[in-house]
Amino acid sequence: MSAVASASFRVRVGDADAIMDATSFVRFEGVRKSYDGKQFVVDDLNLAVRKGEFLTMLGPSGSGKTTSLMMLGGFEAPTFGHIFLDDEPVERLPPEKRNIGFVFQNYALFPHMTVAENVAFPLRYRGIKGRAAAGRIAKALAMVHLGHLGERKPSQLSGGQQQRVALARALVFDPTLVLMDEPLGALDKQLREHMQVEIKQLQRMLGITMVYVTHDQGEALTMSDRIAVFNDGRIQQLATPEVLYEQPANRFVAGFIGENNLIPAHVTRIENGTAVMALGDGTILRAPAATATRSSGASTLAIRPERFFVDTGDTPETNRLSGTVSELFYLGDHLRIAVDVGAEKPIVARIPALQRLPLACGDTIALRCHVHDCRLLEA
Ligand code: ADP
Ligand code: MG
């Protein structure tokens, strides 16, 4: 029996293996979607979302996030492949039979209905009326702090309040799965950050499974248990925020999540698990060799701006890059400097402002970073 309970199988997701076990609640298997019969805008999507998980689909515009969400919600059909909800295939189920809450980017509230009527809408669909409905509506509106505004029309609310109504409407029928497509895109930065925390708290409190779509990497890092990074209709990497940031699988992820210096480098040899490489000007740098690192050839070295520090010693040290300061910005908590080291692009470094460096553009500076803060990627 225990063998069955713990049975799991592996499905390839980009470069990572995702384990799909008994706790996976949503499953995409080999899903492909073409609108025009020529091009796949979602290509070989394999993804398992665990029960109670907050999973974000993150990627640039046009990478296939909305299409993936629409297929899960039942508003679009996969061209190939299958989608399972709680181990049941859902392709033939219409949206209202999937018991999924949906928050669209544009809220999609009914303008002629009051707030309470908008929130009541999914209940009517499910035949919940009268006192039972009233109780649920009151609870859902209280959850999003709109208990006092039930009689207003959407046009009498601010953008943030309308968004909360959409949230209440998605939660009112106690769905086990909620999908959100860029729900905070129209809000200003402060409100957006506030709502990120609030949505995350609601999701945890209610124990719902969330599939959330955004193109904003900061939002994804703040809210998610795991993030699927999309580009060109494919998942580039599926991992926790920390793993995505510290161990990006490829150049795309390294450049999309946070800021990175992506430096062309040439690996000359591998010594005790350390790759030794030369930059264009002959500077030697070292990085942990990834398992796939070839002992010679073109690579990309990824180094985060905040991992650099200013080297004050005169002796040659490991991973030391010297050059001329070409740009310098004081940003309160840190200095942002661009250093021309003779590479294709200047190196960007964030130096804590506490160090109070007497720096100016045109100065010569030496930057260093630890070997373990360098990440070698395929070119
Ligand atoms: P994202 O949400 O990541 O911005 P989408 O899933 O909306 O990406 O779009 C992926 C690709 O599919 C884009 O090239 C887009 O133009 C195309 N697309 C999206 N919806 C439709 C549609 N209904 N008909 C035809 N093409 C579409
Ligand atoms: Mg979209």
Side-chain angles (χ1 to χ4, degrees), residues 113-117 137 141 146-154 156-157:
M113 293 184 188
T114 64
V115 164
E117 286 165 350
I137 295 163
L141 283 175
L146 287 182
H148 54 302
L149 296 180
E151 294 316 309
R152 292 235 187 130
K153 291 279 174 63
Q156 297 170 303
L157 301 179

Side-chain angles (χ1 to χ4, degrees), residues 125-267:
Y125 239 95
R126 290 164 174 82
I128 302 168
K129 286 179 272 182
R131 284 173 97 179
R136 285 190 182 215
I137 295 163
K139 192 175 143 217
L141 283 175
M143 232 156 34
V144 297
H145 313 297
L146 287 182
H148 54 302
L149 296 180
E151 294 316 309
R152 292 235 187 130
K153 291 279 174 63
S155 60
Q156 297 170 303
L157 301 179
S158 70
Q161 288 170 330
Q162 291 182 34
Q163 204 277 340
R164 286 166 187 271
V165 177
L167 202 58
R169 189 177 58 182
L171 297 173
V172 71
F173 55 96
D174 290 334
T176 40
L177 175 64
V178 175
L179 313 182
M180 296 195 183
D181 192 355
E182 313 240 10
L184 309 180
L187 308 182
D188 65 51
K189 185 169 181 290
Q190 213 177 351
L191 189 54
R192 204 163 65 223
E193 287 173 357
H194 180 82
M195 289 300 295
Q196 288 167 5
V197 175
E198 209 169 303
I199 290 174
K200 177 78 194 175
Q201 283 171 345
L202 271 176
Q203 179 264 341
R204 273 213 195 115
M205 186 183 83
L206 301 172
I208 44 186
T209 307
M210 176 78 83
V211 182
Y212 190 95
V213 162
T214 182
H215 65 272
D216 179 335
Q217 46 106 7
E219 188 163 302
L221 292 174
T222 304
M223 301 177 84
S224 318
D225 295 317
R226 285 190 305 161
I227 300 171
V229 182
F230 276 65
N231 192 36
D232 280 343
R234 286 176 176 272
I235 294 183
Q236 305 293 315
Q237 190 172 5
L238 169 65
T240 61
E242 190 179 343
V243 169
L244 283 183
Y245 194 83
E246 298 294 340
Q247 297 159 39
N250 57 35
R251 273 183 70 110
F252 179 81
V253 177
F256 196 76
I257 308 280
E259 200 181 1
N260 235 324
N261 292 286
L262 298 174
I263 309 164
H266 195 90
V267 176

Side-chain angles (χ1 to χ4, degrees), residues 35 41 59-68 76 181-182 213:
Y35 288 107
V41 298
S61 176
S63 57
K65 310 180 298 291
T66 294
T67 300
S68 300
E76 290 288 349
D181 192 355
E182 313 240 10
V213 162

Side-chain angles (χ1 to χ4, degrees), residues 8-12 17-20:
S8 63
F9 58 95
R10 284 172 174 269
V11 172
R12 280 187 62 76
D17 280 333
I19 296 177
M20 296 189 174

